[in-house]
């Protein structure tokens, strides 16, 4: 049964990022990360990790490393449980609006990608181990707001404020092609587990499934009445979740793209989603200052 397992009141300033780390959920609030027990709802620890608000929080596929970016111009890698800073990358003046891990051909987190909200910054790339800068992906003057790497290590997709999505060869950095995906900003995009399809969410309220190689649309999903801010595939590959300005969290079947369930538990826009490793729980973070933990039966 789908149900709201727990509502956590975190901070009146809103929650911009969440990460399910097992028995805890990590919430990004202003310049800090808070570890909160899923069972008790109690804050286990709080760490100030940046000097300005955090705008992106993600986690590697092994649930071992957190990745944050902030308006202070830094991108940081931290231990999921300890919160210890493993790498501090100076991204510069350009705002690293969304960050994610890029994978090698073995599916390991080999580099960090940052979609920078600047016409001159493109997508910045750093090696995970050393923090050294690699060649960036140029998107032709677009203002970038989202980025995703395919799990087979071949492709990188970048979403822009204009509604266009650009596809790059992950190894060479060469631009393969771009296409108009939405009317308005593409703030959410993610490759499916098999790397064959790309899911995008736009300011037009639409969710689109595209062929990952060509960008050709496969199916459009209706349901949201406002901008789609975030989407996330479940670890068991069976479902994906979407959320955004209409305050709802929607669950869909991966194969059929049919709607499964809708949660309407937030009172303001939802900006972040994170699945537990066993796909039995899903967390959402919102401008209303709460994190909701949902039970999602496998």
């Amino acid at each position: 049964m789908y149900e709201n397992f727990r509502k956590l009141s975190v901070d009146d300033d809103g929650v911009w990022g969440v990460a399910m780390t097992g028995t805890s959920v990590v919430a990004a609030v202003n310049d800090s990360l808070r570890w909160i027990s899923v069972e008790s709802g109690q804050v286990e620890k709080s760490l100030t990790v940046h000097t300005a608000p955090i705008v992106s929080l993600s986690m590697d596929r092994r649930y071992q490393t957190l990745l944050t970016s902030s308006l202070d111009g830094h991108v940081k890698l931290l231990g999921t449980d300890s919160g210890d800073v493993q790498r501090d990358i100076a991204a510069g003046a350009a705002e690293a609006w969304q960050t994610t891990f890029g994978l090698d051909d073995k599916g390991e987190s080999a580099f960090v990608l940052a979609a920078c909200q600047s016409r001159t910054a493109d997508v910045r790339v750093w090696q995970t181990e050393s923090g050294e800068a690699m060649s960036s992906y140029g998107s032709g003057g677009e203002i970038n707001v989202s980025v995703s790497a395919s799990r087979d290590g071949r492709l990188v997709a970048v979403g822009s404020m204009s509604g266009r999505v650009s596809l790059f060869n992950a190894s060479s950095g060469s631009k393969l092609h771009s296409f108009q995906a939405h009317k308005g900003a593409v703030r959410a995009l993610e490759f499916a587990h098999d790397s064959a399809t790309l899911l995008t969410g736009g300011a037009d309220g639409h969710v689109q499934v595209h062929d990952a190689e060509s960008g050709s649309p496969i199916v459009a999903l209706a349901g949201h009445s406002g901008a789609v801010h975030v989407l996330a595939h479940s670890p068991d590959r069976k479902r994906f979740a979407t959320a955004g300005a209409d305050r709802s969290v929607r669950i869909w079947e991966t194969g059929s793209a049919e709607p499964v369930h809708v949660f309407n538990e937030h009172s303001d826009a939802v900006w972040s989603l994170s699945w537990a490793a066993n796909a039995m729980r899903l967390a959402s973070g919102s401008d209303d200052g709460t994190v909701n933990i949902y039970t999602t039966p496998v």
Side-chain angles (χ1 to χ4, degrees):
M1 176 185 295
Y2 288 91
E3 61 181 356
N4 189 11
F5 172 75
R6 189 177 298 282
K7 178 182 284 289
L8 305 173
S9 295
V10 180
D11 195 284
D12 291 341
D13 286 338
V15 178
W16 272 77
V18 290
M20 290 286 288
T21 65
T23 60
S24 302
V25 58
V26 182
V29 179
N30 292 319
D31 57 2
S32 303
L33 295 179
R34 297 181 189 176
W35 279 254
I36 307 170
S37 169
V38 172
E39 294 299 326
S40 70
Q42 298 299 307
V43 176
E44 298 171 327
K45 63 183 170 184
S46 180
L47 298 175
T48 300
V49 296
H50 287 278
T51 59
I54 296 168
V55 293
S56 176
L57 170 63
S58 57
M59 189 164 46
D60 74 325
R61 61 189 294 269
R62 297 187 182 279
Y63 289 70
Q64 295 178 345
T65 306
L66 297 171
L67 178 63
T68 62
S69 63
S70 165
L71 297 182
D72 64 9
H74 286 255
V75 173
K76 295 188 178 184
L77 287 76
L78 308 96
T80 296
D81 295 324
S82 67
D84 293 340
V85 176
Q86 301 171 351
R87 194 79 57 218
D88 184 350
I89 300 170
E95 295 179 4
W97 189 252
Q98 189 181 93
T99 51
T100 190
F101 286 102
L103 308 179
D104 59 20
D105 56 7
K106 297 180 181 179
E108 298 298 326
S109 300
F111 52 96
V112 172
L113 295 163
C116 295
Q117 196 162 286
S118 165
R119 291 189 184 276
T120 60
D122 298 318
V123 175
R124 305 281 301 279
V125 187
W126 299 272
Q127 292 181 345
T128 301
E129 288 298 322
S130 66
E132 293 182 4
M134 302 167 65
S135 58
S136 62
Y137 299 98
S139 53
E142 297 279 2
I143 298 177
N144 306 303
V145 290
S146 57
V147 61
S148 179
S150 65
R151 292 172 182 258
D152 60 8
R154 296 184 305 109
L155 300 171
V156 170
V158 182
S160 73
M161 287 290 288
S162 70
R164 295 190 68 81
V165 171
S166 299
L167 290 172
F168 297 86
N169 180 295
S171 298
S172 67
S174 61
K175 187 175 180 178
L176 303 176
H177 56 87
S178 65
F179 57 93
Q180 193 71 33
H182 294 275
K183 296 178 180 178
V186 183
R187 292 199 178 276
L189 80 172
E190 187 176 80
F191 285 96
H193 287 272
D194 62 4
S195 300
T197 57
L198 175 69
L199 194 63
T200 64
D204 54 13
H206 296 156
V207 176
Q208 300 271 1
V209 182
H210 308 266
D211 178 85
E213 293 285 350
S214 66
S216 300
I218 297 174
V219 63
L221 310 180
H224 285 287
S225 60
V228 178
H229 294 158
V230 60
L231 51 86
H233 289 85
S234 65
D236 63 2
R237 307 188 179 199
K238 296 179 181 178
R239 295 155 295 174
F240 59 88
T242 61
D246 66 1
R247 302 174 292 185
S248 71
V249 174
R250 296 175 180 268
I251 313 295
W252 314 76
E253 284 187 356
T254 299
S256 65
E258 291 293 323
V260 175
H261 193 82
V262 180
F263 292 105
N264 291 294
E265 306 294 335
H266 285 292
S267 60
D268 209 334
V270 182
W271 286 97
S272 54
L273 295 168
S274 179
W275 292 88
N278 61 8
M280 295 180 66
R281 284 179 180 162
L282 173 70
S284 62
S286 167
D287 274 341
D288 65 12
T290 68
V291 172
N292 284 329
I293 310 294
Y294 311 104
T295 298
T296 55
V298 294

